[in-house]
Amino acid sequence: MRVAVVGGGIGGLVAALALRRAGCDVRVYEQAPAVGTVGAGIQLAPNATRILDALGVLPAVRRVAVAPTAFEFRRWDDGRLLSSTALGPAAQDAYGAPYLHVHRGDLVAVLADVVPVETGARCVDVAPGARDAEVRFAGGRVERADLVVGADGIHSVVRHAILGAADARFTGHVAFRGLIPAARVAGLPVERTATVRMGPGRHFVHYFVSAGRLLNVVCVVEENTWTRESWTDRGDPAELRAAFAGWDPVVRSLVDALDAPLKWALFDRLPFGRWSKGPVTLLGDACHPMLPYGAQGAAQAIEDAWVLAACLRDNDDVPAALARYETLRHDRTARVQELSRGNAVRFHLPDGPQQEARDAAIASSNGLSPDIDWLYGYDPLAGHA
C-alpha cells in the first residue's frame, strides 16, 4: 500500500514508522526546508511511551529525555506545595511504561533518524478519488497514494481539502514559553518534577528537558488581543514580567531568566463528527487539537498513529479501515479535549471558595485527575481500543 503522510512532526513520523512496520510503502512530506527543531518541551505520559517502546525508539528517546520524579501542583503567591504525585519508578510500576519530558526537536530528530522525510514539499491540496488520492504540491508536482494521512497540524491543508473551511477557536489564552539553560537556574529550588503553579487568571509550568540541560517554561495568561498561533513569534519580556508580578520569587526569577520568550495564542476545536473521506484521513492536531493543559497533544497523535496502522494491517479495504480507526479514536480524543478544556478553568480560579475547594480536592486525590488511570493506562497494544 502506497501511503503519503503530509506533515513531518511527531504524529506524522510516528504514523510513518507504524505504517512501515505494518508493511506499507510510506513517504513523508514536510513543507519546512529541514526537519525542524521549533517548539519546546512536551510531556510523554505512559500511554505514549508504551507505543514508542513497541516501535523500538524508546531507548533513543530516553537518552534525550528526563524522567521526572513527581507531578506537583503549587500555589501562585508563596509556592506552597498543594500536592505531589510520584512518577519515576512509580509510573513505570503502575502503567508498565515511563513518564518522560522531552524537547520536541529532540524527539523529532530521533524519529527522523529512522523515518526518511522529504523536506521542502509544501502540500497545497489533496483530491480523494474512488481508489486512491492525489497530493498536490506547490510548483505543480502531483503524487498519488492509496492512502493519504494529514498530520499537518491545526491549520491542516488536508483537513481543508476533505472537510472544508473550519476555523479553530481562539480560547482567550496566550502562552509565553522558552528554554533556560540549567546552569542559570542551579541556585533555585527547581527540581526534576513536572510543576504547575496555579493563580488567578494564569498559571506557570516548568520541567527539565534535553537530558536535563534545559528547563522548559510555559507561562499562560488570559488575553484577548493576541491571536497569532505560531511557535516563532517573539514576546515582550517586560509584558511577561508584569503578568507575573507578585508571584512567588521562584516564578519571578524564572521569568527574569527568559531573555527572549516566544508568544503563542492557544486554539482548539470542538470534536468533528468525522475526519476521513475515501482514502484520506487525519490524525493529531489536524482532527482533534487540544489545549496543552492535559499534556496530551503529542500523546494522542501517537495513539492515533498506532491505531491507524493496526486498522490498516487488519483490513486492506482502506475506507473500511479508516471508518474503524475513527470509531476507535473519536470518543477518546473528544474526552481528552474536554479534560484539557476543563483545566483551562480549573487552573485559573481566582482566590476564594472555589479555589479553596479545588485545592482541597487536589490534596485529597494526590493532584491528578480521577481519569488518570483511564488516560495513562490506555493500551492499544492489547487490541485496538
Side-chain angles (χ1 to χ4, degrees):
M1 183 182 297
R2 300 165 300 161
V3 181
V5 176
V6 178
I10 293 166
L13 292 173
V14 175
L17 181 55
L19 288 163
R20 289 176 69 191
R21 288 170 61 95
C24 299
D25 174 15
V26 186
R27 300 288 185 268
V28 180
Y29 302 102
E30 167 57 41
Q31 67 175 350
V35 175
T37 59
V38 295
I42 58 173
Q43 302 190 49
L44 294 175
N47 54 309
T49 56
R50 72 167 49 87
I51 295 171
L52 297 178
D53 192 20
L55 292 172
V57 295
L58 186 59
V61 174
R62 282 184 181 273
R63 288 193 288 272
V64 296
V66 169
T69 60
F71 194 106
E72 296 182 341
F73 283 102
R74 291 183 177 272
R75 185 165 164 78
W76 68 278
D77 52 355
D78 57 8
R80 175 162 46 91
L81 183 65
L82 300 174
S83 74
S84 179
T85 303
L87 295 175
Q92 180 75 47
D93 291 345
Y95 303 110
Y99 196 113
L100 300 177
H101 294 155
V102 65
H103 188 288
R104 179 187 181 279
D106 292 339
L107 178 56
V108 167
V110 167
L111 296 170
D113 193 47
V114 294
V115 177
V117 180
E118 180 180 333
T119 57
R122 182 167 67 87
C123 173
V124 296
D125 194 17
V126 172
R131 300 182 62 85
D132 62 6
E134 286 188 352
V135 184
R136 298 166 182 169
F137 297 93
R141 174 186 170 195
V142 175
E143 298 286 349
R144 302 194 74 88
D146 302 307
L147 168 67
V148 176
V149 180
D152 49 343
I154 193 168
H155 302 297
S156 170
V157 170
V158 180
R159 186 194 62 249
H160 186 276
I162 63 171
L163 299 182
D167 290 339
R169 307 183 310 165
F170 175 53
T171 61
H173 287 199
V174 172
F176 291 84
R177 62 190 308 163
L179 297 161
I180 305 171
R184 295 188 63 180
V185 299
L188 297 175
V190 179
E191 306 296 334
R192 288 199 173 193
T193 58
T195 301
V196 179
R197 300 170 184 265
M198 300 179 293
R202 60 209 64 206
H203 73 279
F204 192 95
V205 180
H206 55 81
Y207 52 86
F208 285 97
V209 296
S210 296
R213 295 189 302 274
L214 298 170
L215 183 71
N216 182 68
V217 176
V218 184
C219 325
V220 178
V221 300
E222 295 179 7
E223 178 186 328
N224 290 317
T225 58
W226 183 274
T227 58
R228 284 178 52 83
E229 198 270 336
S230 169
W231 286 350
T232 58
D233 285 340
R234 296 290 182 180
D236 181 354
E239 180 187 355
L240 179 57
R241 284 194 295 270
F244 288 89
W247 279 53
D248 176 64
V250 173
V251 171
R252 299 201 307 271
S253 295
L254 293 176
V255 167
D256 288 342
L258 281 174
D259 297 326
L262 303 179
K263 190 174 182 181
W264 174 35
L266 299 179
F267 289 77
D268 75 350
R269 295 180 185 275
L270 293 175
F272 288 108
R274 63 183 180 90
W275 60 62
S276 302
K277 182 177 181 180
V280 182
T281 195
L282 307 171
L283 64 73
D285 282 353
C287 53
H288 49 69
M290 55 192 66
L291 291 168
Y293 308 153
Q296 279 288 308
Q300 291 306 302
I302 290 168
E303 288 184 8
D304 287 348
W306 180 274
V307 174
L308 173 62
C311 290
L312 288 159
R313 185 175 58 244
D314 292 346
N315 191 344
D316 60 6
D317 180 335
V318 172
L322 298 185
R324 177 67 174 154
Y325 159 63
E326 286 189 20
T327 297
L328 292 170
R329 295 300 298 155
H330 183 276
D331 289 354
R332 177 170 170 84
T333 56
R335 183 173 170 185
V336 179
Q337 284 178 298
E338 184 58 32
L339 289 171
S340 301
R341 199 175 294 118
N343 282 340
V345 176
R346 184 176 180 232
F347 289 177
H348 289 194
L349 292 174
D351 285 350
Q354 285 186 303
Q355 162 264 321
E356 292 169 1
R358 176 202 66 193
D359 292 354
I362 284 174
S364 66
S365 65
N366 290 325
L368 295 179
S369 165
D371 294 305
I372 212 67
D373 288 342
W374 169 84
L375 188 59
Y376 293 172
Y378 176 81
D379 187 3
L381 310 186
H384 295 168

